[in-house]
Amino acid sequence: MRRVFALPLLLLLSLWLAAPAWADGLGSGSSFVSTAVKKVAPAVVRIDTERSVPKVGLDPSFNDPLLRELFGDQLPHSRERGQGSGIVIDAKGLVLTNAHVVEGADRVEVTLADGRDVEGTVLGSDAITDLAVVSIPRGSGLKAAPLGDSERLEVGDWAIALGTPYGLERTVTLGIVSSLHRNITSLGFSDKRLDLIQTDAAINPGNSGGPLINASGEVVGINTLVRSGPGAGLGFAIPINLAKGVAAQLGQGSTVVHPYLGLQLVPLNPRLARDNNADPNALLQLPERDGALVQRVLPESPAETAGLRRGDLVVAAAEQAVPDPAALLRLVEASQVGETLPLTVLRGDQQLELSIRPAALPHA
């Protein structure tokens, strides 16, 4: 009998010894999820907004530009309400959320975790990273969330989303980090600069601006958007390491400066290059390698000044390989406005070493 049970007993013992730290609470009425949530939940807030929007469909004459110029704000308007989430990042009264949550808002009301409603003031907003900072009165008991390190995330890590989807407060969903460095342009947003955390933790309308946390109860991302499909949905969050830097500038009332080169780029790889080169009607022969292919050079841009041309293939920047446009964008974003950024460019059968000085991205 002892021989029959020896192997299962050893197996159970080894499993117990190898159990992860978050499993300690399983079977004892709590879990690693509830433990993690308790660390962050007191800092999660709901954000309600109101904005004035022109009424449409009442009278076509109100669309006349002359009438708009004459009557200005006297034209019929309605109040539009919106809702999102946020996270207290400083006990002095700073709340981090998405820019699209507070965009154009005339009034911002913040509901704290203890149920108190306070007026909020938008200190700053950056549409490029979809982040905003809202100031609220420093009240007793205001607690900031612990912020983690998004660079330490790995695919397969636990991901917990908190927020107020559909106005349902104190909602928690669980999933994993399903991908990292998901470029937002691949999701159809060409006016943003973001490499996102992808998760299968449910993120729904109203979750925007709320925290994505890890199993240790640290904020690793700010929920920003969701893509739904048959049978499943994918959520995306802004890495907290990026959000920390942007929030520090917005919290001081500063405008976030983004370096830019003035290039429109498309990815190139050997297969695409071979297909192009085999076409007798091809306008030019392309290098058969990975890189960021220049599709257009914007006039009066740093790229034009540096001598870049349509058809150039950028293969390296700042002595780092550039396998695609997203890699170049990350290096540009990490550069400094006005400082030299070296580029390695292939033009036909020539390799060129160019120097370019990024400028501040013009605001729309």
Side-chain angles (χ1 to χ4, degrees), residues 3 9 16 54 92 109 128 150 191 194 198 304 327 337 344 351:
R3 291 183 179 180
L9 183 60
W16 179 80
K92 294 179 180 178
E109 184 177 79
I128 301 298
S150 52
D191 59 338
L194 289 170
Q198 179 180 307
E304 184 182 62
V337 171
T344 301
Q351 178 171 308

Side-chain angles (χ1 to χ4, degrees), residues 42-98:
V44 179
V45 303
R46 189 183 77 197
I47 298 177
D48 292 281
T49 62
E50 287 188 12
R51 55 180 58 86
S52 178
V53 294
K55 287 186 178 180
V56 295
L58 294 179
D59 188 338
S61 64
F62 284 122
N63 293 323
D64 187 292
L66 179 59
L67 284 178
R68 290 186 174 277
E69 184 177 348
L70 289 173
F71 291 99
D73 293 337
Q74 298 179 33
L75 290 174
H77 282 70
S78 62
R79 303 295 293 175
E80 182 180 81
R81 291 178 173 83
Q83 189 181 90
S85 304
I87 184 77
V88 178
I89 58 171
D90 191 317
K92 294 179 180 178
L94 296 183
V95 174
L96 182 61
T97 185
N98 286 148

